Amino acid sequence: MATRIRLQRHGRKNYAFYSIVIAHSDAPRDGRFIEKIGTYNPNTNPATIDLNFERALYWVLVGAQPTDTVHSILSKEGVYLKKHLMGGVKKGAFDEAAAEAKFSAWKAEKETKAQKFADKKAADKAADMAARLAAEKKVNAAIAAKIAEKKAAAAAAQAEAEAPAEETAEEAPAEA
């Protein structure tokens, strides 16, 4: 019987996460499975993938067919690159050490790209926060200026109201 590498849904409505499982091809999506080889959470940015690399490689080598999404996940994790390199070793194109060096170089490059992405995202977030803070300070300064104007106008009006009262008080004794 044919085996498939597929996703098994978990989580609540509108917030799904998935287990990556090996199942018979005629088993239902969330039904019985042979082995769980990892998890996939598309709700994070970037998506979080936890994969047992050795077991995934084993199942790909024995002929388990992945679904489209799982194929994409396995490609991003390097399972298919490792399979390709192992095929080159088997054919004699290069030795196992060269294959391992190529895979290690690919993995290191992938990690540096991921780190650059994370650094860029953090820098963008910091710049956005600084821009928001500057805009908020500008708005607060404008509000403070309006309040100062109102207080000055109120003080002037109060001083003006007190001044005529003093003048009439001073004029009254002069007339007497």
Side-chain angles (χ1 to χ4, degrees), residues 29-167:
R29 179 190 71 180
D30 297 334
R32 191 169 165 183
F33 61 91
I34 299 168
E35 181 181 357
K36 178 180 174 182
I37 60 171
T39 59
Y40 168 61
N41 185 358
N43 301 312
T44 59
N45 187 15
T48 306
I49 300 169
D50 181 29
L51 183 69
N52 183 341
F53 188 85
E54 296 302 320
R55 293 305 293 170
L57 182 61
Y58 166 78
W59 282 105
V60 168
L61 290 174
V62 297
Q65 294 296 311
T67 60
D68 293 338
T69 305
V70 174
H71 188 279
S72 174
I73 291 169
L74 295 177
S75 294
K76 288 177 185 173
E77 292 296 310
V79 173
Y80 281 102
L81 177 63
K82 184 78 169 186
K83 178 185 176 190
H84 175 73
L85 293 172
M86 289 174 69
V89 169
K90 189 182 284 185
K91 290 179 183 177
F94 42 82
D95 62 346
E96 196 169 320
E100 195 60 40
K102 285 182 180 183
F103 185 73
S104 298
W106 175 82
K107 195 165 197 153
E109 181 183 341
K110 180 184 173 212
E111 288 173 359
T112 56
K113 283 182 181 179
Q115 186 62 38
K116 283 181 183 178
F117 177 76
D119 292 343
K120 183 180 182 296
K121 191 171 179 179
D124 289 347
K125 188 174 182 180
D128 182 48
M129 203 59 138
R132 279 202 222 161
L133 183 62
E136 188 174 340
K137 283 182 179 179
K138 186 177 177 182
V139 168
N140 287 345
I143 291 172
K146 283 183 181 179
I147 290 172
E149 279 181 27
K150 284 184 179 180
K151 284 185 177 179
Q158 186 178 8
E160 195 175 294
E162 289 177 4
E166 290 177 5
E167 287 178 11

Side-chain angles (χ1 to χ4, degrees), residues 165-176:
E166 290 177 5
E167 287 178 11
T168 57
E170 289 174 8
E171 290 177 9
E175 292 177 5

